[in-house]
Amino acid sequence: TGVLMLIKKAEDIRSSEITPKSLYLNRRKFLAGAAIAGAAAATGLGLREIVSPSATVLAGNKIDGIKKSPLSTTETVTPYKDVTNYNNYYEFSTEKDEPAKLAQKFRTRPWKVKIDGLVDKKQELDVDTILKMAPPEERIYRHRCVEGWSIVVPWVGFSLSELIKRVNPTSKAKFVEFSTLLDLAQMPGQQRNVLQWPYVEGLRMDEAMNPLALLCFGMYGEELPNQDGAPLRIIVPWKYGFKSAKAIVRIRFTDKQPINSWNISAPMEYGFYSNVNPNVDHPRWSQAKERRLGDFSKRPTLMFNGYADQVSSLYSGMDLKKNF
Ligand code: MTE
């Protein structure tokens, strides 16, 4: 019990949590399909624009000038409703349907991000200054949780390297550490010791500089919903989802490997690298397969979550069973 049991393997997710939703979605898709296709033809908008939530989500926080990225997958995007109501965000709750409610009033402005450690100039940047550092791109990535479920999300952001280049880490910096906001008043989950707070994650510098690593502030053409990590998070698509820290307030450059929160809570289960690897089982379950939210059956999990071409050279010569 306790922390170890909080992460559910795919088999433990009650089928009632998955099946009715997919049935519902499939039926809706079928019924809506003809109407949507007709509308797309009539308006000249692409199918994706009509199906995407920009028309239905009325937060009014559309991001302008988003460029499409060649790094996107062409796989079917997971419905917005599923992605924003099935979240791991332990600062709010360990239940997946609760962050959507509990994070509703979370204040994401004003928001400062501290840049420190081994950099030329330690500084505090306003999140809106960071957002202007490079043009926003849509990156449709596969996102694979260590628990065995996966989603395909059109994130909005730009390569983390754009920020790193601008803040000038020194030549001694070998790693970069990300910390989430610590705020017990706003984040009720932090009153429980399920993890060490604040949530800390880290990357090796060459991983962080890989063009796939995304500094993310939006999804589906809009600003990130709070439950998905607003106002700023990272997305590291070749690693298990827990590496992709939400609500970042500090980016620290260091010469030592950062100690990530999940590694502290269960060192035998969650390592520093956490690369998606179907050949290395979690001590309590296999990682060979995954269930895409909305699907009935499982599909094989791909090495580095399908991003091997872009990232496998980062790990050449490393024993991936040891460096899990
Ligand atoms: N970041 C913070 N700060 N707190 C968290 O609990 N959960 C991680 C990751 N980032 C988490 C976090 C896990 S386990 C996953 S799978 C992803 O966020 C889920 O991201 P999503 O809710 O946007 O799909």
Side-chain angles (χ1 to χ4, degrees):
T1 71
V3 173
L4 293 187
M5 297 314 293
L6 287 170
I7 285 212
K8 291 195 251 182
K9 57 180 175 174
E11 287 78 10
D12 290 345
I13 302 172
R14 277 176 292 124
S15 60
S16 62
E17 283 178 46
I18 292 167
T19 313
K21 187 177 279 166
S22 51
L23 270 176
Y24 156 74
L25 289 169
N26 285 339
R27 197 178 51 172
R28 196 184 59 176
K29 254 186 228 152
F30 174 76
L31 292 172
I36 287 175
T43 58
L45 289 171
L47 264 181
R48 275 252 329 282
E49 265 88 1
I50 291 198
V51 177
S52 92
S54 39
T56 51
V57 175
L58 301 171
N61 57 12
K62 191 171 165 291
I63 298 171
D64 291 323
I66 301 173
K67 302 187 301 186
K68 302 245 181 269
S69 166
L71 296 169
S72 287
T73 171
T74 54
E75 282 167 84
T76 307
V77 167
T78 305
Y80 179 81
K81 207 164 147 272
D82 290 353
V83 170
T84 56
N85 287 286
Y86 193 81
N87 300 103
N88 273 338
Y89 204 165
Y90 281 18
E91 282 85 346
F92 289 96
S93 170
T94 55
E95 297 298 319
K96 295 189 185 356
D97 59 339
E98 289 196 333
K101 283 175 277 171
L102 297 175
Q104 251 171 45
K105 294 201 175 123
F106 183 61
R107 288 187 303 275
T108 59
R109 294 292 188 290
W111 191 277
K112 302 269 187 213
V113 180
K114 186 193 241 182
I115 312 284
D116 68 343
L118 302 172
V119 272
D120 283 352
K121 188 175 148 234
K122 297 182 179 119
Q123 56 184 320
E124 225 175 36
L125 292 172
D126 193 274
V127 70
D128 292 310
T129 306
I130 295 178
L131 265 47
K132 285 185 206 112
M133 285 179 171
E137 291 171 35
E138 179 176 78
R139 301 261 186 99
I140 307 174
Y141 283 164
R142 287 178 291 277
H143 189 57
R144 189 351 179 131
C145 180
V146 73
E147 297 165 316
W149 51 274
S150 64
I151 49 185
V152 176
V153 183
W155 304 110
V156 181
F158 47 75
S159 291
L160 177 59
S161 65
E162 297 285 350
L163 174 123
I164 295 179
K165 277 187 282 184
R166 283 170 180 79
V167 301
N168 273 322
T170 71
S171 58
K172 290 199 182 107
K174 296 286 177 283
F175 297 90
V176 53
E177 180 190 84
F178 304 87
S179 307
T180 293
L181 181 68
L182 181 67
D183 185 344
L184 275 72
Q186 284 206 83
M187 296 174 134
Q190 288 182 336
Q191 289 161 14
R192 295 177 59 199
N193 288 329
V194 289
L195 285 176
Q196 178 165 301
W197 311 113
Y199 194 100
V200 170
E201 259 309 337
L203 296 170
R204 218 171 55 193
M205 195 61 105
D206 56 347
E207 297 178 316
M209 293 301 288
N210 186 281
L212 276 180
L214 186 71
L215 192 65
C216 173
F217 42 87
M219 53 159 57
Y220 300 83
E222 299 193 330
E223 283 173 24
L224 278 178
N226 292 342
Q227 65 268 35
D228 286 285
L232 193 69
R233 72 179 299 182
I234 50 169
I235 296 292
V236 195
W238 69 96
K239 294 178 179 281
Y240 292 117
F242 68 86
K243 296 297 287 183
S244 296
K246 298 175 172 180
I248 291 167
V249 292
R250 184 177 184 194
I251 300 177
R252 187 173 72 95
F253 295 89
T254 157
D255 53 358
K256 292 185 196 65
Q257 186 172 297
I259 301 172
N260 47 318
S261 295
W262 278 106
N263 182 252
I264 296 172
S265 81
M268 304 310 290
E269 305 198 353
Y270 309 106
F272 174 76
Y273 284 96
S274 312
N275 291 314
V276 173
N277 189 337
N279 309 314
V280 177
D281 290 344
H282 184 280
R284 290 183 283 131
W285 59 81
S286 160
Q287 293 290 27
K289 289 183 176 177
E290 68 197 61
R291 193 192 304 276
R292 195 67 48 88
L293 289 195
D295 281 1
F296 292 102
S297 43
K298 292 186 187 179
R299 64 180 70 211
T301 284
L302 305 173
M303 189 64 203
F304 296 114
N305 201 24
Y307 297 101
D309 286 352
Q310 292 100 315
V311 301
S312 58
S313 64
L314 294 170
Y315 312 102
S316 56
M318 273 177 71
D319 181 342
L320 298 178
K321 284 204 159 73
K322 261 193 213 146
N323 297 285
F324 60 90

